[in-house]
Amino acid sequence: MNQLIISAATEGEVNPLMPNLWEMGVVLVGFLILLFIVVKFVVPMFEKTFAERAEAIEGGIAKAEKAQAEASAALEEYKQQLTDARTEANRIREEARAEGAQILADLKEKAAVESARITAQAHAQIESERQAAVVSLRSEVGTLATTLAGRIVGESLNDDERAARVVDRFLADLESQNAGAAK
């Protein structure tokens, strides 16, 4: 059977295995027209879209890098401001401590001065009260001494001048005895 088909094909009839040249030419022309249209119109649109997307991506990357750089700069500025603020806070704290120590020293000094003044005033008051007591005691001792001496002697020693001399002499003797005993 194969033999039959091959012999029939060779006798002048059209061979179905051999392509028709006219069909090949028409398909080739159609393919070239389609290729021309694709190259002329479709490929440039694809390239334009690709370029736009690539540009958008690169622009986005550039914007992201710029934003990252700005964020880094802002972070550094923030860190610097934070460091400056901490330094300033430490300086203010140290100034406050120094000022507190100075105020405390001033208050201690004022207290010491006031204490010395009060002590001096108390000593002066005590001395004036002692002097007043001495004067009062002298007059009382003098009166008692003259009264006692008058009773011992048996006569009145009411003469003020004489009584004053006797009292002064008596007190001088007492002071000299006290001074001698103290040595």
Side-chain angles (χ1 to χ4, degrees):
M1 193 171 266
N2 281 342
Q3 226 21 341
L4 193 58
I5 296 175
I6 293 176
S7 64
T10 54
E11 286 183 9
E13 291 191 21
V14 178
N15 186 2
L17 294 179
M18 286 302 280
N20 187 352
L21 288 177
W22 283 105
E23 284 180 11
M24 276 181 56
V26 170
V27 168
L28 183 64
V29 169
F31 176 75
L32 290 176
I33 291 172
L34 184 61
L35 183 65
F36 176 76
I37 291 172
V38 168
V39 169
K40 187 71 174 174
F41 298 107
V42 175
V43 170
M45 284 191 335
F46 279 131
E47 286 187 11
K48 180 181 174 187
T49 304
F50 176 74
E52 287 174 356
R53 286 187 181 177
E55 186 177 312
I57 291 171
E58 288 174 4
I61 290 172
K63 286 179 184 178
E65 288 174 351
K66 182 179 177 183
Q68 181 68 26
E70 288 175 358
S72 295
L75 179 63
E76 289 301 318
E77 183 179 345
Y78 169 74
K79 286 180 180 178
Q80 182 62 37
Q81 288 175 351
L82 185 62
T83 302
D84 292 344
R86 285 181 180 158
T87 303
E88 182 70 15
N90 286 337
R91 184 188 61 79
I92 290 171
R93 190 177 308 119
E94 289 302 319
E95 285 179 3
R97 283 184 187 147
E99 188 175 323
Q102 180 64 34
I103 290 171
L104 185 61
D106 290 346
L107 289 176
K108 284 182 180 179
E109 182 180 332
K110 286 180 182 179
V113 168
E114 185 67 18
S115 174
R117 184 189 66 77
I118 289 171
T119 304
Q121 186 179 6
H123 285 299
Q125 185 176 0
I126 290 170
E127 184 60 30
S128 68
E129 287 177 2
R130 189 184 71 77
Q131 289 295 333
V134 166
V135 168
S136 173
L137 281 176
R138 275 189 180 233
S139 67
E140 284 185 33
V141 167
T143 306
L144 288 174
T146 53
T147 305
L148 183 61
R151 285 189 186 171
I152 291 175
V153 174
E155 66 181 68
S156 176
L157 297 174
N158 285 337
D159 184 11
D160 287 334
E161 201 174 297
R162 190 183 325 158
R165 280 194 314 258
V166 169
V167 169
D168 287 338
R169 188 176 57 221
F170 176 71
L171 291 176
D173 287 342
L174 277 178
E175 286 178 3
S176 65
Q177 287 176 1
N178 286 340
K183 289 183 182 179

